[in-house]
Every structure is written in structure tokens, then in C-alpha cells.
């Protein structure tokens, strides 16, 4: 088969880019695979891409940032989508032209706005797979309303957790669309796993408010008070760096907590630690959790929706604690810091349990999904309705009405506020 991925910007750094590269490279062992990047802002991708996967861009911002059509807002890409300001009539035109002429058996969109393009503009001969990397409940009512209409044009919609797949089945009425879990994959480690002896806790991700590195630093203060020879290393960049630096200084942890900046690949940093940590209020999946576990680190994480609870087996390969609970997070870290044997046993179990996220396992699921959809498209088959689908229609209609009401209230409030100015 020929498989084409449509992605926002393959030349940056982020979880969606990493998991797209991982899946594309694994599929390229048996299929012809290309990645089509809507935007490009630099000469080469920041992440390494296997040469078996072709890469091309539709709009090169190095030369076309001031293109007249790029100065006009997009009309196809939904206005309620987070990235809308980066899209334009030029991206509408280029994406439409690409989809009109695509020769792939299947095209995979990688964010809501691109899934809308795919559902509305891809020819019927092409299997249209929409990937959701952010949970349904994190979308605004306005965006959910737009997706309800557009996503009916997809053949398959994938989510990264079962909890989110269940939410789509319950809250959206998508007749004829297969909603299926397809977790992110993490490449097989190439370095020896952590032996659990280093007195280092490792965390990684964007330094943004929702990741709650402030909570992690405060929890680690409890560790440092009892075990001052332990260190916390946080990898990543972002808007919270200055605030986190001030917090570290105010807690007197400048010899224990270090903001390490960006690192790619992270495997070399994971294996230098003995415990992985995450304190997010919300995770669509938890890519760094899997990365740490694949390197032999037991994981201490908040039990936030949706990913950690589907990745970590509490008490076996890590610990799950309530969201926002500094003391519980600190106590879980201390439990592993104090007990060398427990930490190493959990690390070995983490490495074993995380194998289900290896590329080979995930690519088999992806291949099955795509091949079944291609076969169904060729034969003209569509999923039969059953009682569950009828129930989905009823409940989905209820959620649709709720979102529509929220959108109306928001619009009315906006009108009132504008009238008061």
C-alpha cells in the first residue's frame, strides 16, 4: 500500500511529530510511505526521519510567509481549531490541491483541522483516517460541533486511549465511521536500560502550565529534605521556564533541581535516571511515560485523564497519585527513593510492560485498520447499524444539543460584550 500522512509542521518538535515519524518509519518497512507537511520553516526536520519515508511541504514559510493568500484567514480549516491563525487561504488551496491529486491508498490526518480537510476534500477512492492526539473533552464546544459535521466523511477515527475512544462513541454520532484506539509507539531502545542505581529523577516535556512542573518541584522538595543527594532533572523548553527557575530558587533547591533544556533523542537522558516523573493535570496519552518505562524507569505520575492510567499499572511498574496532590506525589517518589529493591523490580517490570507500545506492536494494529478500511472501501461495505449504534445516535444527539447550546450562549455573550464597548 501507499500511505500518506498529513501533518501540521514536520520540521518542529512535539509529540505528534515524534509519533508520526515513529509510525511512518515502521510502516515504511513494508509499504510506500510519505509525510506531507502543511508548513515548513527550516531546511531540515529537527527530528531524524528514516530516508525510506519521503517528506515534502505544501507551504514554505521561509519564502511564502508574505504570500497574499497567506495573509487571508483559512476558510476550510475550522476557526475553532487551536492552530487556525497559522492557516490561510493559501494552506486551504495547497491542501485541497494535494488531496485532489493524491495517489495514496490511505491518507492519515494528524490533527482536527487537517482531519476536517481530509473528510471534506479527499476523493472517495482514498481511505480517510483521522487521528486524534488530543482528547475530545479538551476540544471547545464550537470545535466539537464542527467536527460532528465533518468527521462523518472519515472512514476511520483513531484515538490514543480507550477512554477517549469511548467518549467519541458516546458523545459523537458518526455513522459508518470506525472509532478505534491506536496508541502512540516508542522506538525500541538502543542503549542499555537504567540499572536503577543513579540518584536521579527524570521528567521531560514542554514547560507549560498544564504539565505542572511546579507541583513536581514542590513534591521533590520533600525528597530533597530527606535525601539531599538525589537530583531532579527536567528536560524541555517553554513559557514556564522563568517561573520554574524562580520557584527552584525560592525553595532553595538550586543544588537539587535542574532545568536541562531540550534534548533529542531523550533515551540517553532517561537511562541516566532511576525514576521517571510526571505531574500533569491532563494528558491525551503520555509519550514521555512510555519512553521512560521502555528505558527501565518506574514511573510516578498523577492519575490524570486519559493516558497514565492506561499505561502505568499502579504498584507494579510505577505509582499513580491524585491530580494536584503534592504530598501524595512526594510520598510516591520517596517510596521508590527509599527502597532500592522495589525501585529496581518496578523498573524491570516497567520495561517489560511497555513493550506493547513498541513500533512492531502498534504498526500491526495500524496495518490491520488501514487494510480493513481499504478492503471495505473497495467493496463498498459500511458497518451495519446495531443497537449500540442506535444508542450512540441518541446519546450523541444529546451531547450535540448541549454543545450547540453552549455555542449559542457564547455567541450571545460575545454580542452583548461588544455592544457595551
Amino acid at each position: 500500500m501507499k500511505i500518506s500522512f498529513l501533518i501540521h509542521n514536520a520540521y518542529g518538535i512535539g509529540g505528534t511529530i515524534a509519533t508520526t515519524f515513529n509510525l511512518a518509519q515502521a510502516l515504511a518497512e513494508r509499504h510506500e510511505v510519505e509525510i506531507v507537511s502543511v508548513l515548513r520553516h527550516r531546511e531540515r526536520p529537527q527530528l531524524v526521519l528514516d530516508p525510506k519515508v519521503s517528506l515534502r511541504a505544501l507551504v514554505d514559510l521561509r519564502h511564502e510567509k508574505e504570500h497574499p493568500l497567506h495573509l487571508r484567514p483559512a476558510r476550510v480549516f475550522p476557526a475553532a481549531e487551536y492552530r487556525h491563525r497559522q492557516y490561510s487561504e493559501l494552506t486551504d488551496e495547497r491542501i485541497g490541491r494535494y488531496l485532489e491529486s493524491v495517489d495514496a491508498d490511505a491518507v492519515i490526518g494528524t490533527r482536527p483541522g487537517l482531519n476536517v480537510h481530509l473528510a471534506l476534500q479527499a476523493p472517495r477512492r482514498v481511505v480517510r483516517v483521522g487521528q486524534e492526539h488530543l482528547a475530545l473533552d479538551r476540544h471547545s464546544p464550537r470545535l466539537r460541533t464542527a467536527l460532528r459535521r465533518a468527521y462523518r466523511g472519515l472512514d476511520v477515527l483513531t484515538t490514543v486511549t480507550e477512554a477517549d475512544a469511548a467518549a467519541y462513541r458516546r458523545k459523537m454520532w458518526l455513522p459508518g465511521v470506525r472509532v478505534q484506539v491506536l496508541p502512540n509507539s516508542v522506538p525500541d531502545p538502543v542503549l542499555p536500560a537504567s540499572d536503577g542505581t543513579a540518584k536521579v529523577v527524570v521528567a521531560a516535556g514542554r514547560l507549560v502550565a498544564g504539565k505542572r512542573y511546579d507541583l513536581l518541584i514542590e513534591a521533590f522538595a520533600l525528597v530533597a529534605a530527606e535525601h539531599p543527594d538525589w537530583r531532579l532533572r527536567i528536560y524541555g523548553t517553554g513559557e514556564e521556564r522563568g517561573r520554574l527557575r524562580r520557584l527552584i530558587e525560592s525553595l532553595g533547591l538550586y543544588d537539587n533541581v535542574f532545568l536541562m533544556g531540550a534534548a533529542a533523542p531523550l533515551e540517553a537522558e532517561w537511562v541516566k535516571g532511576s525514576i521517571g516523573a510526571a505531574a500533569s493535570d491532563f494528558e491525551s496519552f503520555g509519550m514521555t511515560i512510555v519512553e521512560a518505562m521502555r528505558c527501565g524507569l518506574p514511573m510516578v505520575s498523577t492519575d490524570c485523564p486519559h493516558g497514565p492510567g492506561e499505561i502505568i499499572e499502579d504498584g507494579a511498574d510505577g505509582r499513580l497519585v491524585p491530580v494536584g496532590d503534592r504530598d501524595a506525589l512526594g510520598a510516591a517518589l520517596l517510596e521508590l527513593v527509599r527502597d532500592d529493591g522495589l525501585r529496581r523490580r518496578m523498573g524491570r517490570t516497567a520495561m517489560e510492560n511497555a513493550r506493547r507500545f513498541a513500533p512492531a506492536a502498534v504498526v500491526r494494529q495500524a496495518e490491520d485498520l488501514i487494510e480493513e478500511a481499504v478492503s471495505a472501501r473497495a467493496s463498498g461495505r459500511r458497518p451495519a447499524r446495531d443497537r449500540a449504534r442506535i444508542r450512540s445516535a441518541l446519546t450523541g444527539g444529546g451531547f450535540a444539543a448541549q454543545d450547540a447550546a453552549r455555542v449559542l450562549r457564547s455567541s450571545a455573550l460575545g454580542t452583548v460584550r461588544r455592544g457595551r464597548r
Side-chain angles (χ1 to χ4, degrees):
M1 294 187 296
K2 181 172 182 179
I3 302 167
S4 182
F5 288 84
L6 181 61
I7 193 169
H8 168 65
N9 189 339
Y11 295 81
I13 291 180
T16 298
I17 302 169
T19 194
T20 299
F21 279 27
N22 291 343
L23 181 56
Q25 289 166 173
L27 286 168
E29 296 296 327
R30 287 160 41 89
H31 306 281
E32 182 182 353
V33 181
E34 70 169 352
I35 294 176
V36 177
S37 180
V38 176
L39 302 177
R40 178 179 186 174
H41 69 290
R42 65 199 311 271
E43 179 64 23
R44 294 182 179 84
Q46 296 185 63
L47 301 181
V48 178
L49 183 64
D50 192 305
K52 291 193 289 293
V53 179
S54 63
L55 172 65
R56 60 187 174 104
L58 301 180
V59 174
D60 192 333
L61 296 176
R62 297 174 299 170
H63 314 299
E64 298 182 296
K65 191 173 183 179
E66 301 302 322
H67 190 292
L69 290 181
H70 196 54
L71 302 178
R72 302 175 188 171
R75 297 182 179 182
V76 179
F77 195 94
E81 225 268 37
Y82 168 70
R83 295 284 188 183
H84 180 259
R85 290 186 179 181
Q86 295 176 260
Y87 284 74
S88 63
E89 286 190 10
L90 182 62
T91 60
D92 280 354
E93 177 187 280
R94 299 280 173 83
I95 295 170
R97 192 186 304 165
Y98 149 70
L99 290 172
E100 181 182 3
S101 61
V102 68
D103 61 348
D105 297 289
V107 178
I108 301 174
T110 56
R111 65 176 305 111
L114 298 181
N115 295 340
V116 168
H117 271 281
L118 184 57
L120 298 178
Q121 296 178 314
R124 306 303 296 180
R125 57 183 166 77
V126 175
V127 166
R128 292 149 294 171
V129 181
Q131 287 186 339
E132 277 284 357
H133 293 277
L134 187 65
L136 176 64
D137 291 341
R138 300 293 288 179
H139 294 327
S140 69
R142 189 178 298 276
L143 180 56
R144 288 196 297 263
T145 298
L147 299 184
R148 278 189 181 90
R149 293 192 295 266
Y151 274 14
R152 296 179 185 184
L154 297 173
D155 296 290
V156 178
L157 177 66
T158 68
T159 65
V160 292
T161 65
E162 182 55 55
D164 198 35
Y168 270 94
R169 297 183 190 115
R170 186 174 71 256
K171 297 181 178 182
M172 305 282 272
W173 171 227
L174 302 175
V177 181
R178 180 176 179 181
V179 180
Q180 184 72 36
V181 177
L182 185 66
N184 293 333
S185 67
V186 172
D188 297 322
V190 297
L191 297 174
S194 165
D195 62 8
T197 61
K199 296 180 179 181
V200 176
V201 177
V202 182
R206 291 176 297 122
L207 304 186
V208 294
K211 297 293 185 180
R212 294 305 310 272
Y213 289 112
D214 57 335
L215 183 74
L216 177 59
I217 292 168
E218 290 172 355
F220 191 78
L222 304 177
V223 176
E226 183 177 315
H227 296 271
D229 53 344
W230 275 75
R231 304 289 182 262
L232 169 62
R233 297 174 182 169
I234 299 173
Y235 292 88
T237 60
E239 61 202 38
E240 288 281 290
R241 183 180 178 86
R243 189 172 79 88
L244 296 175
R245 170 55 60 195
R246 291 190 292 274
L247 177 62
I248 291 167
E249 292 174 355
S250 70
L251 293 174
L253 295 175
Y254 32 78
D255 289 330
N256 297 93
V257 180
F258 301 92
L259 303 178
M260 306 294 291
L266 266 169
E267 182 184 344
E269 310 310 322
W270 290 122
V271 299
K272 295 174 186 175
S274 293
I275 302 169
S280 300
D281 287 336
F282 181 90
E283 286 285 356
S284 298
F285 178 65
M287 191 80 161
T288 57
I289 294 175
V290 179
E291 290 177 352
M293 292 172 67
R294 294 218 72 195
C295 291
L297 273 64
M299 196 73 195
V300 175
S301 173
T302 48
D303 191 13
C304 62
H306 290 286
E310 294 189 21
I311 300 170
I312 298 167
E313 184 180 349
D314 187 35
D317 51 25
R319 293 305 313 271
L320 293 167
V321 302
V323 174
D325 192 329
R326 181 204 64 180
D327 292 339
L329 185 60
L333 289 168
L334 274 169
E335 179 184 13
L336 295 180
V337 166
R338 291 168 178 160
D339 193 330
D340 294 347
L342 175 65
R343 185 172 68 247
R344 291 169 188 167
R345 286 194 302 275
M346 279 193 173
R348 290 191 294 270
T349 305
M351 191 162 49
E352 181 65 29
N353 289 351
R355 286 181 181 174
R356 68 189 189 277
F357 300 107
V362 174
V363 79
R364 282 195 296 272
Q365 298 178 52
E367 282 181 318
D368 288 346
L369 272 175
I370 296 168
E371 287 171 356
E372 289 170 13
V374 168
S375 176
R377 169 66 62 194
S379 65
R381 288 186 285 109
R382 292 179 71 82
R385 292 190 181 188
D386 55 22
R387 292 181 181 177
R389 283 186 173 275
I390 294 171
R391 288 195 299 272
S392 176
L394 294 173
T395 58
F399 283 108
Q402 291 174 21
D403 281 343
R406 292 188 185 103
V407 171
L408 285 173
R409 285 197 298 270
S410 176
S411 298
L413 183 59
T415 300
V416 170
R417 286 174 174 169
R418 285 193 295 273
R420 289 175 177 172
R421 290 175 184 170

